[in-house]
Structure formats: C-alpha cells, structure tokens
Amino acid sequence: MQVQPKPVPPDEVLTSRIAGERYDNAVEAWGEEGWATVGRLCRFFDVMGMKGLSCPPPEIRPRPG
C-alpha cells in the first residue's frame, strides 16, 4: 500500500478553463481512490473481527466491453 500524493495544479489552471477542469478531475479521482482504499481497509479489519466499524459496501464498477 502506498499513499498517493495529491495532484499538483499546473500553472495553466490560472488561464485555461480546460486545464482547470482536468485538474478538478484529477483531484476528484485522487479523492475517490483514497476513500476506496479506506473502505477496503475497513472491510478487511471488519472481517478480522474489529468491533465498532461501519464500513461502506464494496463499490461495484461495470466492466468495459
């Protein structure tokens, strides 16, 4: 497991709407992946018997194709 650094905004976000939207998307994806990791850890410790957890259900992502 590895902590992913938060995306750094490029200089273009100050002058380009597209660059700003790409950065927003990168931050959103970074945050979602971080919370998915927290959910996996929560479910792991729940299975191991840790008490007092309230874990989110696993996320089901549609498979391409």
Side-chain angles (χ1 to χ4, degrees):
M1 180 170 24
Q2 194 174 28
V3 173
Q4 299 296 323
K6 184 176 180 182
V8 176
D11 293 337
E12 293 81 25
V13 298
L14 299 174
T15 58
S16 168
R17 181 181 57 82
I18 300 291
E21 289 176 6
R22 286 183 181 151
Y23 175 68
D24 288 346
N25 290 339
V27 170
E28 180 76 16
W30 169 80
E32 287 183 11
E33 181 56 36
W35 283 112
T37 300
V38 169
R40 287 190 298 272
L41 285 168
C42 183
R43 289 185 296 278
F44 170 80
F45 285 109
D46 186 43
V47 169
M48 294 287 111
M50 184 178 244
K51 303 294 181 204
L53 298 175
S54 176
C55 303
E59 183 178 325
I60 308 296
R61 293 184 187 183
R63 293 181 183 249

